[in-house]
Amino acid sequence: MNKYNNIIIIGDVFETNNKDLFSDLKSILSSESIYKSGQFKFSKNIIWIGIGMNSFLKKVGVSHNYNYDFFGFKDNFTKIRDESTFEEYIYTDESYFPIYNSHLDNSLFTLYDGAQIYPYISKQNNFYYVSKITNDNLSLKYIFIHFLSDFYNKSITLGKKAYFSIYLNNDILSFYKNENQISLRKNISRIAKILAEKGYLLVVNYNNDNSIKLSNNTLYLNQNSKKEFNKFYDYYTLISISEDDLKANSSWHKISILDQFLLEIKLNLPITNYNDLKNIFGFLENNNINNLDYSTRDFNEILIKLDSNKVKENLVSKNQESKPFFEKTLSLLIYIVGFIILSLLIIYLIYSKISANDFKGRIKNEDN
């Protein structure tokens, strides 16, 4: 473990006596004693998640160094609070959290049950404790991601970006089949035009197996391509949210804690009030969320990697700079010089062959 700067342990019922693990953990104890105490602290940053921390601290031999006592399990929390900003987030999940009593002064985030406050994420020296992580509750998920971002102190800010998407499922296709398939194309075309005015990408998701296609600002992806497309943006927190949720502002408060993310805004079809789109633009601009730029060379290279048949149209970036005049001229000169050298070489070879034949012919005549 000395090879790593940071160590994250997801705890279980850690009563099993894993001697190798505890031996490794002991190896990352600092050789420098804490002032006046003679006790040791960890030389690496450690995040412990979940239960089993007491057993861990005791067996490694530093339980007296860290003020954590297991309280038990607790549920029915109503809020999570960021202790640095005092911003509160609604929590509605009824599942249980393991609670370790610690001084609230050490807490980065706390849980509130309507009567009492408990630590959710706390820190002592370079040892962090996280009570629980989940992928189900958005408030908890985004707070944990925000904490990790701060923990790793990322120097590169990728910012906040958004794109729009339409899912052509069977219900939508059946509706338009009864109405008129032409109206589906018109609706999507109108949406794409409005989005293009602001530089936003529209992703149309469908079920058939055709290769992907980029036309203007509209990207057509099948299900497999969409999964691969998302993988290229793993460095973002990819968030999918419906148009209705965004307009109702019901999910935004949970997302707003994040410093960077890629926001997929799912549009409902048919769209009859196009002013709703323009209102969403205003919301995105007010919250400093930029468009996912589909006109870059990098984006087009992603599409080529996605499609085994290669994307043959509309892959040239509208912002891609043409080659400078000097570079074009140099390329032309190299071509001309190469052509001349090749021509001279061919002439030389032909002439050499003719001369050789002529020489042989003269020798033969002299012999006669």
Coordinates of all heavy atoms in Angstrom, one line a residue, residues 114-199:
G114 N -34.5 15.4 12.3 CA -35.6 16.3 12.8 C -35.4 16.6 14.3 O -36.0 17.6 14.8
A115 N -34.5 15.9 14.9 CA -34.2 16.2 16.3 C -32.7 16.3 16.7 O -32.3 17.1 17.5 CB -34.8 15.1 17.2
Q116 N -31.9 15.5 16.0 CA -30.5 15.4 16.3 C -29.7 15.3 15.0 O -30.1 14.9 14.0 CB -30.2 14.2 17.2 CG -28.9 14.2 17.9 CD -28.8 13.1 18.9 OE1 -29.8 12.5 19.3 NE2 -27.6 12.8 19.4
I117 N -28.4 15.8 15.2 CA -27.5 15.8 14.0 C -26.4 14.7 14.2 O -25.9 14.5 15.3 CB -26.8 17.1 13.9 CG1 -27.8 18.2 13.6 CG2 -25.7 17.1 12.8 CD1 -27.2 19.6 13.7
Y118 N -26.1 14.0 13.2 CA -25.1 12.9 13.2 C -24.1 13.1 12.1 O -24.4 13.6 11.0 CB -25.8 11.5 13.0 CG -26.8 11.2 14.0 CD1 -28.2 11.6 13.9 CD2 -26.5 10.5 15.2 CE1 -29.1 11.3 14.8 CE2 -27.4 10.2 16.1 CZ -28.8 10.6 16.0 OH -29.7 10.3 16.9
P119 N -22.9 12.6 12.2 CA -21.9 12.7 11.2 C -22.2 11.9 10.0 O -22.6 10.7 10.2 CB -20.6 12.3 11.8 CG -20.8 12.3 13.3 CD -22.3 12.1 13.5
Y120 N -22.1 12.4 8.8 CA -22.2 11.6 7.6 C -20.8 11.4 6.9 O -20.4 10.2 6.7 CB -23.1 12.2 6.6 CG -23.1 11.5 5.2 CD1 -23.3 10.2 5.1 CD2 -22.8 12.3 4.1 CE1 -23.2 9.5 3.8 CE2 -22.7 11.6 2.8 CZ -22.9 10.3 2.7 OH -22.8 9.7 1.5
I121 N -20.1 12.4 6.7 CA -18.7 12.4 6.3 C -17.9 13.2 7.2 O -18.2 14.3 7.5 CB -18.5 12.9 4.8 CG1 -19.3 12.1 3.8 CG2 -17.0 12.9 4.4 CD1 -19.2 12.6 2.4
S122 N -16.9 12.6 7.8 CA -16.1 13.3 8.8 C -14.6 13.0 8.5 O -14.2 12.1 7.8 CB -16.4 12.8 10.2 OG -16.3 11.4 10.4
K123 N -13.7 13.8 9.1 CA -12.3 13.8 8.9 C -11.5 14.0 10.2 O -11.8 14.9 11.0 CB -11.9 14.9 7.9 CG -10.4 15.0 7.7 CD -10.1 16.2 6.8 CE -8.6 16.3 6.6 NZ -8.2 17.5 5.9
Q124 N -10.6 13.2 10.4 CA -9.6 13.4 11.5 C -8.2 13.1 10.9 O -7.9 12.0 10.5 CB -9.9 12.4 12.7 CG -11.2 12.6 13.4 CD -11.4 11.8 14.6 OE1 -10.4 11.4 15.3 NE2 -12.6 11.4 14.9
N125 N -7.4 14.2 11.0 CA -6.1 14.2 10.3 C -6.3 13.8 8.9 O -7.1 14.5 8.2 CB -5.1 13.2 11.0 CG -4.9 13.7 12.5 OD1 -4.7 14.8 12.7 ND2 -4.8 12.7 13.4
N126 N -5.7 12.8 8.4 CA -5.8 12.4 7.0 C -6.6 11.1 6.9 O -6.5 10.3 5.9 CB -4.5 12.2 6.3 CG -3.5 11.3 7.1 OD1 -3.8 11.0 8.2 ND2 -2.5 10.9 6.4
F127 N -7.5 10.8 7.9 CA -8.4 9.7 7.9 C -9.8 10.2 7.7 O -10.3 11.0 8.6 CB -8.2 8.9 9.2 CG -9.1 7.6 9.2 CD1 -8.6 6.5 8.6 CD2 -10.3 7.7 9.9 CE1 -9.4 5.3 8.7 CE2 -11.1 6.5 9.9 CZ -10.6 5.3 9.3
Y128 N -10.5 9.7 6.7 CA -11.9 10.1 6.4 C -12.8 9.0 6.6 O -12.5 7.8 6.3 CB -12.0 10.6 4.9 CG -11.2 11.8 4.6 CD1 -9.8 11.7 4.3 CD2 -11.7 13.1 4.5 CE1 -9.0 12.8 4.0 CE2 -11.0 14.2 4.1 CZ -9.6 14.0 3.9 OH -8.9 15.1 3.5
Y129 N -14.0 9.3 7.1 CA -15.0 8.3 7.3 C -16.3 8.7 6.5 O -16.8 9.9 6.7 CB -15.4 8.0 8.7 CG -16.5 7.1 8.9 CD1 -16.3 5.7 8.5 CD2 -17.8 7.5 9.3 CE1 -17.4 4.8 8.6 CE2 -18.8 6.6 9.3 CZ -18.6 5.3 9.0 OH -19.7 4.4 9.0
V130 N -16.8 7.8 5.7 CA -18.1 8.0 5.0 C -19.1 6.9 5.5 O -18.8 5.7 5.4 CB -17.9 7.9 3.5 CG1 -19.3 8.2 2.8 CG2 -16.9 8.9 3.0
S131 N -20.2 7.3 6.0 CA -21.2 6.4 6.6 C -21.7 5.4 5.6 O -21.8 4.2 5.8 CB -22.3 7.1 7.3 OG -23.3 6.2 7.7
K132 N -22.0 5.9 4.4 CA -22.7 5.1 3.4 C -22.7 5.7 2.0 O -22.7 6.9 1.9 CB -24.2 4.9 3.8 CG -25.0 4.1 2.9 CD -26.5 4.0 3.4 CE -27.4 3.3 2.5 NZ -28.8 3.2 3.0
I133 N -22.6 4.9 1.0 CA -22.7 5.4 -0.4 C -23.8 4.6 -1.1 O -24.1 3.5 -0.7 CB -21.4 5.3 -1.2 CG1 -20.9 3.9 -1.2 CG2 -20.4 6.3 -0.7 CD1 -19.7 3.7 -2.1
T134 N -24.5 5.3 -2.0 CA -25.6 4.6 -2.7 C -25.7 5.2 -4.1 O -25.3 6.3 -4.3 CB -26.9 4.8 -2.0 OG1 -27.9 4.1 -2.7 CG2 -27.3 6.2 -1.8
N135 N -26.2 4.4 -5.0 CA -26.5 4.9 -6.4 C -27.9 5.2 -6.6 O -28.3 5.7 -7.6 CB -26.0 3.9 -7.4 CG -25.8 4.5 -8.7 OD1 -25.2 5.6 -8.8 ND2 -26.1 3.8 -9.8
D136 N -28.7 5.0 -5.5 CA -30.2 5.2 -5.7 C -30.6 6.6 -5.3 O -31.5 7.1 -5.9 CB -30.9 4.1 -4.8 CG -30.6 2.7 -5.2 OD1 -30.3 2.5 -6.4 OD2 -30.5 1.9 -4.3
N137 N -30.1 7.1 -4.2 CA -30.5 8.4 -3.8 C -29.6 9.5 -4.4 O -28.4 9.5 -4.1 CB -30.5 8.5 -2.2 CG -31.1 9.8 -1.7 OD1 -30.4 10.8 -1.7 ND2 -32.3 9.8 -1.3
L138 N -30.2 10.4 -5.1 CA -29.4 11.4 -5.8 C -28.7 12.4 -4.9 O -27.5 12.7 -5.1 CB -30.3 12.2 -6.8 CG -30.9 11.5 -8.0 CD1 -31.7 12.4 -8.9 CD2 -29.8 10.8 -8.8
S139 N -29.4 12.8 -3.8 CA -28.7 13.7 -2.9 C -27.4 13.1 -2.4 O -26.4 13.8 -2.3 CB -29.7 14.1 -1.7 OG -30.8 14.8 -2.2
L140 N -27.5 11.9 -1.9 CA -26.4 11.2 -1.3 C -25.3 10.9 -2.4 O -24.1 11.1 -2.1 CB -26.8 9.9 -0.7 CG -26.1 9.3 0.5 CD1 -26.2 10.3 1.6 CD2 -26.6 8.0 0.9
K141 N -25.7 10.5 -3.6 CA -24.8 10.2 -4.6 C -24.0 11.4 -5.0 O -22.7 11.4 -5.1 CB -25.6 9.7 -5.9 CG -24.7 9.4 -7.1 CD -25.6 8.9 -8.2 CE -24.8 8.8 -9.5 NZ -25.7 8.3 -10.6
Y142 N -24.6 12.6 -5.3 CA -23.9 13.8 -5.7 C -23.1 14.4 -4.6 O -22.0 15.0 -4.9 CB -24.9 14.8 -6.3 CG -25.7 14.3 -7.5 CD1 -27.0 14.7 -7.7 CD2 -25.1 13.4 -8.4 CE1 -27.7 14.2 -8.8 CE2 -25.8 12.9 -9.4 CZ -27.1 13.3 -9.7 OH -27.8 12.9 -10.8
I143 N -23.5 14.3 -3.4 CA -22.7 14.8 -2.3 C -21.4 14.0 -2.2 O -20.3 14.5 -2.0 CB -23.5 14.7 -1.0 CG1 -24.5 15.9 -0.9 CG2 -22.5 14.8 0.2 CD1 -25.5 15.9 0.2
F144 N -21.5 12.6 -2.4 CA -20.3 11.8 -2.3 C -19.4 12.1 -3.5 O -18.1 12.2 -3.3 CB -20.7 10.3 -2.3 CG -19.5 9.4 -2.2 CD1 -18.7 9.3 -1.1 CD2 -19.2 8.6 -3.3 CE1 -17.6 8.5 -1.1 CE2 -18.1 7.8 -3.3 CZ -17.3 7.7 -2.2
I145 N -19.9 12.3 -4.6 CA -19.1 12.7 -5.8 C -18.4 14.0 -5.6 O -17.2 14.2 -5.9 CB -19.9 12.7 -7.1 CG1 -20.4 11.3 -7.4 CG2 -19.2 13.3 -8.3 CD1 -21.5 11.2 -8.5
H146 N -19.1 15.0 -5.0 CA -18.6 16.3 -4.7 C -17.4 16.1 -3.7 O -16.4 16.8 -3.8 CB -19.7 17.2 -4.2 CG -19.2 18.5 -3.7 ND1 -18.7 19.5 -4.5 CD2 -19.1 19.0 -2.4 CE1 -18.3 20.5 -3.9 NE2 -18.6 20.3 -2.6
F147 N -17.6 15.3 -2.7 CA -16.6 15.1 -1.7 C -15.3 14.5 -2.3 O -14.2 14.9 -2.1 CB -17.1 14.1 -0.6 CG -16.1 13.4 0.2 CD1 -15.2 14.1 1.0 CD2 -15.9 12.0 0.0 CE1 -14.2 13.4 1.7 CE2 -14.9 11.4 0.7 CZ -14.1 12.1 1.6
L148 N -15.5 13.5 -3.2 CA -14.4 12.9 -3.9 C -13.6 13.9 -4.7 O -12.4 13.9 -4.8 CB -14.8 11.7 -4.7 CG -15.1 10.4 -4.0 CD1 -15.5 9.3 -5.1 CD2 -13.9 9.9 -3.2
S149 N -14.4 14.8 -5.4 CA -13.7 15.8 -6.2 C -12.8 16.7 -5.4 O -11.7 17.0 -5.8 CB -14.8 16.6 -6.9 OG -14.2 17.6 -7.7
D150 N -13.3 17.1 -4.2 CA -12.5 17.9 -3.3 C -11.4 17.1 -2.7 O -10.2 17.6 -2.6 CB -13.4 18.4 -2.2 CG -14.3 19.5 -2.6 OD1 -14.1 20.1 -3.7 OD2 -15.3 19.8 -1.9
F151 N -11.6 15.8 -2.4 CA -10.6 15.0 -1.8 C -9.4 14.8 -2.8 O -8.2 14.9 -2.3 CB -11.2 13.6 -1.5 CG -10.2 12.6 -1.0 CD1 -9.8 12.6 0.3 CD2 -9.7 11.6 -1.9 CE1 -8.9 11.7 0.8 CE2 -8.7 10.7 -1.4 CZ -8.3 10.7 -0.1
Y152 N -9.7 14.6 -4.1 CA -8.6 14.5 -5.0 C -8.1 15.8 -5.5 O -7.1 15.9 -6.2 CB -9.0 13.7 -6.2 CG -9.1 12.2 -5.9 CD1 -10.3 11.5 -5.7 CD2 -7.9 11.5 -5.7 CE1 -10.3 10.2 -5.4 CE2 -7.9 10.1 -5.4 CZ -9.1 9.5 -5.2 OH -9.2 8.1 -4.9
N153 N -8.7 16.9 -5.1 CA -8.3 18.3 -5.4 C -7.9 18.4 -6.9 O -6.8 18.8 -7.3 CB -7.1 18.6 -4.6 CG -6.7 20.1 -4.6 OD1 -7.6 20.9 -5.0 ND2 -5.5 20.5 -4.3
K154 N -8.9 18.1 -7.8 CA -8.6 18.2 -9.2 C -8.2 19.6 -9.7 O -8.9 20.5 -9.4 CB -9.8 17.7 -10.0 CG -10.1 16.2 -9.8 CD -11.3 15.8 -10.6 CE -11.5 14.3 -10.5 NZ -12.7 13.8 -11.2
S155 N -7.1 19.6 -10.4 CA -6.7 20.9 -10.9 C -7.3 21.3 -12.2 O -7.3 22.4 -12.6 CB -5.1 21.0 -11.0 OG -4.7 19.9 -11.9
I156 N -7.8 20.3 -12.9 CA -8.4 20.5 -14.2 C -9.9 20.6 -14.0 O -10.6 19.7 -13.5 CB -8.1 19.3 -15.2 CG1 -6.6 19.2 -15.4 CG2 -8.8 19.5 -16.5 CD1 -6.2 18.0 -16.2
T157 N -10.5 21.8 -14.4 CA -11.9 22.0 -14.3 C -12.5 21.8 -15.7 O -12.2 22.5 -16.6 CB -12.2 23.4 -13.8 OG1 -11.5 23.6 -12.6 CG2 -13.7 23.6 -13.7
L158 N -13.3 20.8 -15.8 CA -14.0 20.4 -17.0 C -15.3 21.2 -17.2 O -15.9 21.3 -18.3 CB -14.3 18.9 -17.1 CG -13.0 18.1 -17.1 CD1 -13.4 16.6 -16.9 CD2 -12.2 18.2 -18.4
G159 N -15.8 21.8 -16.1 CA -17.0 22.6 -16.2 C -18.3 21.8 -16.3 O -18.3 20.6 -16.0
K160 N -19.3 22.5 -16.6 CA -20.7 22.0 -16.7 C -21.2 22.1 -18.1 O -21.2 23.2 -18.7 CB -21.6 22.7 -15.8 CG -21.1 22.8 -14.3 CD -22.0 23.7 -13.4 CE -21.4 23.7 -12.0 NZ -22.2 24.6 -11.2
K161 N -21.6 21.0 -18.7 CA -22.0 20.9 -20.1 C -23.4 20.2 -20.2 O -23.7 19.4 -19.3 CB -21.0 20.3 -21.0 CG -19.7 21.1 -21.0 CD -18.7 20.5 -22.1 CE -17.4 21.2 -22.0 NZ -17.5 22.6 -22.5
A162 N -24.1 20.5 -21.3 CA -25.4 19.9 -21.5 C -25.6 19.5 -22.9 O -25.1 20.2 -23.8 CB -26.5 20.8 -20.9
Y163 N -26.4 18.5 -23.2 CA -26.9 18.2 -24.5 C -28.4 17.7 -24.3 O -28.8 17.4 -23.2 CB -26.1 17.2 -25.2 CG -26.1 15.8 -24.7 CD1 -27.0 14.8 -25.2 CD2 -25.3 15.4 -23.7 CE1 -27.0 13.6 -24.7 CE2 -25.3 14.1 -23.2 CZ -26.2 13.2 -23.7 OH -26.2 11.9 -23.2
F164 N -29.1 17.7 -25.4 CA -30.5 17.3 -25.4 C -30.7 15.9 -26.1 O -29.9 15.6 -27.0 CB -31.4 18.3 -26.1 CG -31.4 19.6 -25.3 CD1 -30.4 20.5 -25.4 CD2 -32.6 20.0 -24.6 CE1 -30.4 21.8 -24.7 CE2 -32.6 21.2 -23.9 CZ -31.6 22.1 -24.0
S165 N -31.7 15.2 -25.7 CA -31.9 13.9 -26.3 C -33.4 13.5 -26.4 O -34.2 14.1 -25.7 CB -31.2 12.8 -25.4 OG -31.9 12.6 -24.2
I166 N -33.7 12.7 -27.4 CA -35.0 12.2 -27.7 C -34.9 10.7 -27.8 O -34.0 10.2 -28.5 CB -35.6 12.8 -29.0 CG1 -35.8 14.3 -28.9 CG2 -36.9 12.1 -29.4 CD1 -36.1 14.9 -30.2
Y167 N -35.8 10.0 -27.1 CA -35.8 8.5 -27.2 C -37.0 8.1 -28.0 O -38.2 8.3 -27.6 CB -35.9 7.9 -25.8 CG -34.5 8.0 -25.1 CD1 -34.1 9.2 -24.5 CD2 -33.7 6.9 -25.1 CE1 -32.8 9.2 -23.9 CE2 -32.4 6.9 -24.4 CZ -32.0 8.1 -23.8 OH -30.8 8.2 -23.2
L168 N -36.8 7.5 -29.2 CA -37.9 7.0 -30.0 C -38.3 5.6 -29.6 O -37.9 4.6 -30.3 CB -37.4 7.1 -31.5 CG -37.1 8.5 -32.0 CD1 -36.7 8.4 -33.5 CD2 -38.2 9.4 -31.8
N169 N -39.0 5.5 -28.6 CA -39.5 4.2 -28.1 C -40.7 3.8 -28.9 O -41.3 4.6 -29.7 CB -39.7 4.2 -26.6 CG -40.7 5.2 -26.2 OD1 -41.6 5.5 -26.9 ND2 -40.4 5.9 -25.0
N170 N -41.2 2.6 -28.6 CA -42.4 2.1 -29.4 C -43.6 2.9 -29.2 O -44.4 3.1 -30.1 CB -42.6 0.6 -29.0 CG -41.5 -0.3 -29.5 OD1 -40.8 0.0 -30.5 ND2 -41.3 -1.4 -28.8
D171 N -43.8 3.5 -28.0 CA -45.0 4.3 -27.7 C -45.0 5.5 -28.6 O -46.1 5.9 -29.2 CB -45.1 4.7 -26.3 CG -45.3 3.5 -25.4 OD1 -45.9 2.5 -25.9 OD2 -45.0 3.5 -24.2
I172 N -43.9 6.2 -28.7 CA -43.8 7.4 -29.5 C -44.0 7.1 -31.0 O -44.7 7.8 -31.7 CB -42.4 8.1 -29.3 CG1 -42.4 8.7 -27.8 CG2 -42.2 9.2 -30.3 CD1 -41.0 9.2 -27.4
L173 N -43.3 6.0 -31.4 CA -43.4 5.6 -32.8 C -44.9 5.2 -33.2 O -45.4 5.5 -34.3 CB -42.5 4.5 -33.2 CG -41.0 4.9 -33.1 CD1 -40.1 3.6 -33.3 CD2 -40.6 5.9 -34.1
S174 N -45.6 4.6 -32.3 CA -47.0 4.2 -32.5 C -47.8 5.4 -32.6 O -48.7 5.5 -33.5 CB -47.5 3.3 -31.4 OG -46.7 2.1 -31.4
F175 N -47.6 6.4 -31.7 CA -48.3 7.6 -31.8 C -48.2 8.3 -33.1 O -49.2 8.7 -33.7 CB -47.9 8.6 -30.6 CG -48.5 9.9 -30.7 CD1 -49.7 10.2 -30.3 CD2 -47.7 11.0 -31.3 CE1 -50.3 11.5 -30.3 CE2 -48.2 12.3 -31.4 CZ -49.5 12.5 -30.9
Y176 N -47.0 8.5 -33.6 CA -46.7 9.2 -34.8 C -47.1 8.3 -36.0 O -47.5 8.9 -37.1 CB -45.2 9.6 -35.0 CG -44.9 10.8 -34.2 CD1 -44.3 10.8 -33.0 CD2 -45.3 12.1 -34.8 CE1 -44.1 12.0 -32.3 CE2 -45.0 13.3 -34.1 CZ -44.4 13.2 -32.9 OH -44.1 14.4 -32.2
K177 N -47.2 7.0 -35.9 CA -47.7 6.2 -37.0 C -49.1 6.4 -37.2 O -49.6 6.5 -38.4 CB -47.4 4.7 -36.7 CG -47.7 3.8 -37.8 CD -47.3 2.4 -37.5 CE -47.6 1.4 -38.7 NZ -47.3 0.0 -38.4
N178 N -49.9 6.6 -36.1 CA -51.3 6.9 -36.2 C -51.5 8.3 -36.7 O -52.5 8.6 -37.5 CB -52.0 6.7 -34.9 CG -51.9 5.3 -34.4 OD1 -51.9 4.4 -35.3 ND2 -51.9 5.0 -33.1
E179 N -50.7 9.2 -36.3 CA -50.9 10.6 -36.7 C -50.4 10.8 -38.1 O -51.1 11.0 -39.0 CB -50.1 11.5 -35.7 CG -50.6 11.6 -34.3 CD -51.9 12.4 -34.2 OE1 -52.0 13.4 -34.9 OE2 -52.9 11.9 -33.6
N180 N -49.0 10.7 -38.2 CA -48.4 10.9 -39.5 C -46.9 10.8 -39.3 O -46.4 11.6 -38.5 CB -48.8 12.2 -40.2 CG -48.3 12.2 -41.6 OD1 -47.5 11.5 -42.0 ND2 -48.9 13.1 -42.4
Q181 N -46.2 9.9 -39.9 CA -44.8 9.8 -39.7 C -44.1 11.1 -40.2 O -43.0 11.5 -39.6 CB -44.2 8.6 -40.5 CG -44.3 7.3 -39.9 CD -43.4 7.1 -38.7 OE1 -42.6 8.0 -38.4 NE2 -43.4 6.0 -38.1
I182 N -44.6 11.8 -41.1 CA -44.0 13.1 -41.5 C -44.0 14.1 -40.4 O -43.0 14.8 -40.3 CB -44.8 13.7 -42.8 CG1 -44.7 12.7 -43.9 CG2 -44.2 15.0 -43.1 CD1 -45.5 13.1 -45.2
S183 N -45.0 14.1 -39.6 CA -45.0 15.0 -38.5 C -43.9 14.7 -37.5 O -43.4 15.6 -36.8 CB -46.4 15.0 -37.8 OG -46.6 13.7 -37.2
L184 N -43.5 13.5 -37.3 CA -42.4 13.1 -36.4 C -41.1 13.8 -37.0 O -40.3 14.4 -36.2 CB -42.2 11.6 -36.4 CG -40.9 11.1 -35.7 CD1 -41.0 11.5 -34.2 CD2 -40.8 9.6 -35.8
R185 N -40.8 13.7 -38.3 CA -39.6 14.3 -38.8 C -39.7 15.8 -38.7 O -38.7 16.4 -38.4 CB -39.5 13.9 -40.3 CG -39.2 12.4 -40.5 CD -38.7 12.1 -41.9 NE -39.7 12.3 -42.9 CZ -40.5 11.3 -43.2 NH1 -40.5 10.1 -42.7 NH2 -41.5 11.5 -44.1
K186 N -40.8 16.4 -38.9 CA -41.0 17.8 -38.8 C -40.7 18.3 -37.4 O -40.1 19.3 -37.1 CB -42.4 18.3 -39.2 CG -42.6 18.2 -40.8 CD -44.0 18.8 -41.1 CE -44.1 18.8 -42.6 NZ -45.5 19.3 -43.0
N187 N -41.3 17.5 -36.4 CA -41.1 17.9 -35.0 C -39.6 17.9 -34.6 O -39.1 18.8 -34.0 CB -41.9 17.0 -34.1 CG -42.2 17.5 -32.7 OD1 -42.3 16.8 -31.8 ND2 -42.4 18.8 -32.7
I188 N -38.9 16.8 -35.0 CA -37.5 16.6 -34.6 C -36.7 17.7 -35.3 O -35.8 18.3 -34.8 CB -37.0 15.2 -35.0 CG1 -37.7 14.2 -34.1 CG2 -35.5 15.1 -34.8 CD1 -37.4 12.7 -34.4
S189 N -37.0 17.9 -36.6 CA -36.3 18.9 -37.4 C -36.4 20.3 -36.8 O -35.5 21.1 -36.7 CB -36.8 18.9 -38.8 OG -36.2 19.9 -39.6
R190 N -37.6 20.6 -36.3 CA -37.9 21.9 -35.7 C -37.1 22.1 -34.3 O -36.5 23.1 -34.1 CB -39.4 22.1 -35.4 CG -39.7 23.4 -34.7 CD -39.7 24.6 -35.7 NE -39.8 25.9 -35.0 CZ -41.0 26.4 -34.7 NH1 -42.2 25.7 -35.0 NH2 -41.1 27.6 -34.1
I191 N -37.1 21.0 -33.6 CA -36.3 21.0 -32.3 C -34.9 21.1 -32.6 O -34.2 22.0 -32.0 CB -36.6 19.6 -31.6 CG1 -38.0 19.5 -31.1 CG2 -35.6 19.5 -30.4 CD1 -38.4 18.1 -30.6
A192 N -34.4 20.4 -33.6 CA -32.9 20.5 -33.9 C -32.5 21.9 -34.3 O -31.4 22.4 -34.0 CB -32.6 19.5 -35.0
K193 N -33.4 22.5 -35.1 CA -33.1 23.9 -35.6 C -33.0 24.9 -34.4 O -32.1 25.7 -34.4 CB -34.2 24.3 -36.5 CG -33.9 25.7 -37.2 CD -35.0 26.0 -38.2 CE -34.7 27.4 -38.8 NZ -35.8 27.8 -39.8
I194 N -33.9 24.8 -33.5 CA -33.9 25.7 -32.3 C -32.7 25.4 -31.4 O -32.0 26.4 -31.0 CB -35.2 25.5 -31.4 CG1 -36.4 25.9 -32.2 CG2 -35.1 26.2 -30.1 CD1 -37.7 25.6 -31.6
L195 N -32.3 24.1 -31.3 CA -31.1 23.8 -30.5 C -29.9 24.3 -31.2 O -28.9 24.7 -30.5 CB -31.0 22.3 -30.3 CG -32.1 21.6 -29.4 CD1 -31.9 20.1 -29.3 CD2 -32.2 22.2 -28.0
A196 N -29.8 24.2 -32.5 CA -28.6 24.6 -33.3 C -28.4 26.0 -33.1 O -27.2 26.5 -33.2 CB -28.8 24.2 -34.8
E197 N -29.4 26.8 -33.0 CA -29.2 28.3 -32.8 C -28.4 28.6 -31.6 O -27.7 29.6 -31.5 CB -30.6 29.0 -32.7 CG -31.4 28.9 -34.0 CD -32.8 29.5 -33.8 OE1 -33.1 29.9 -32.6 OE2 -33.5 29.6 -34.8
K198 N -28.4 27.7 -30.6 CA -27.6 27.9 -29.3 C -26.4 27.0 -29.3 O -25.7 27.0 -28.3 CB -28.5 27.6 -28.1 CG -29.6 28.7 -27.9 CD -29.0 30.0 -27.4 CE -30.1 31.0 -27.0 NZ -29.5 32.3 -26.5
G199 N -26.2 26.2 -30.3 CA -25.0 25.3 -30.4 C -25.2 24.0 -29.6 O -24.2 23.4 -29.3

